[in-house]
Amino acid sequence: IGSDVLLGKSFNLLGGDCIKIGDHVSFGRNCVLTAWKSYRGKILTPNIVIRSNCHFGEYNHITSTNEIYIDTGLLTGRWVTISDNSHGETNLESLKTTPIERPIYSKGPVRIGKNVWLGDKVTILPGVTIGDGVVVGANSVITKSIPPYSVVVGNPAHIINRQ
């Protein structure tokens, strides 16, 4: 953990040895940061990197079984979720299984560029890259990669402005 890292009240951390946090990073109260090294007997290799000058609002949830990379200057609102994994795939066999018993599945890492702003209640799904300078409107769900210097909104999110 870097210097001048502020952890809000009731900060929840799991798998700290798989998490690197840069300087001048803050987390609001009730944030959850999890790097799952195993699930139901399966060994996982999570990696979370949060570079410097990032500020996370209250109730953020960042969860990894693969890799999440957050570059410098991120700002989030409240209730933001960033996940590189899910409980199973969406094939018929998986859907017939109780969610808690499905194997953890990742479509790929999540990468967030420099100076990105995520509004309240944004959800970022696995396998997504968000370019530098992107603004994501409140309540948006990011299901695919977003090019740099774009403004996106919606569920699923779509570009409404691009520089």
Side-chain angles (χ1 to χ4, degrees):
I1 293 181
S3 66
D4 197 27
V5 174
L6 300 174
L7 304 178
K9 184 178 179 182
S10 299
F11 183 81
N12 186 348
L13 177 69
L14 175 73
D17 58 327
C18 300
I19 300 168
K20 296 176 184 70
I21 299 174
D23 298 333
H24 310 291
V25 173
S26 65
F27 294 89
R29 65 187 169 115
N30 297 304
C31 285
V32 177
L33 188 54
T34 54
W36 296 94
K37 295 190 279 186
S38 68
Y39 184 78
R40 300 185 71 79
K42 181 180 178 187
I43 302 301
L44 304 167
T45 56
N47 184 40
I48 298 174
V49 175
I50 300 170
R51 304 264 326 266
S52 298
N53 300 310
C54 293
H55 303 281
F56 297 87
E58 298 173 334
Y59 303 97
N60 278 215
H61 183 194
I62 301 169
T63 181
S64 177
T65 63
N66 185 334
E67 180 180 50
I68 295 174
Y69 177 85
I70 299 171
D71 212 332
T72 58
L74 176 73
L75 175 64
T76 79
R78 293 178 173 171
W79 297 102
V80 170
T81 299
I82 302 169
S83 178
D84 67 10
N85 64 87
S86 61
H87 284 268
E89 299 182 58
T90 55
N91 58 44
L92 184 58
E93 180 182 333
S94 187
L95 296 175
K96 287 182 175 182
T97 305
T98 305
I100 196 81
E101 294 176 359
R102 295 175 189 164
I104 293 296
Y105 173 72
S106 178
K107 287 184 178 179
V110 171
R111 301 188 194 293
I112 299 175
K114 295 177 182 165
N115 305 321
V116 170
W117 177 18
L118 306 176
D120 283 0
K121 300 179 184 171
V122 165
T123 298
I124 299 175
L125 297 179
V128 166
T129 296
I130 297 175
D132 292 349
V134 167
V135 174
V136 180
N139 300 299
S140 295
V141 177
I142 307 300
T143 60
K144 60 184 178 180
S145 294
I146 307 296
Y149 309 106
S150 299
V151 178
V152 298
V153 297
N155 180 6
H158 62 278
I159 296 171
I160 61 168
N161 189 0
R162 187 167 177 202
Q163 300 298 315

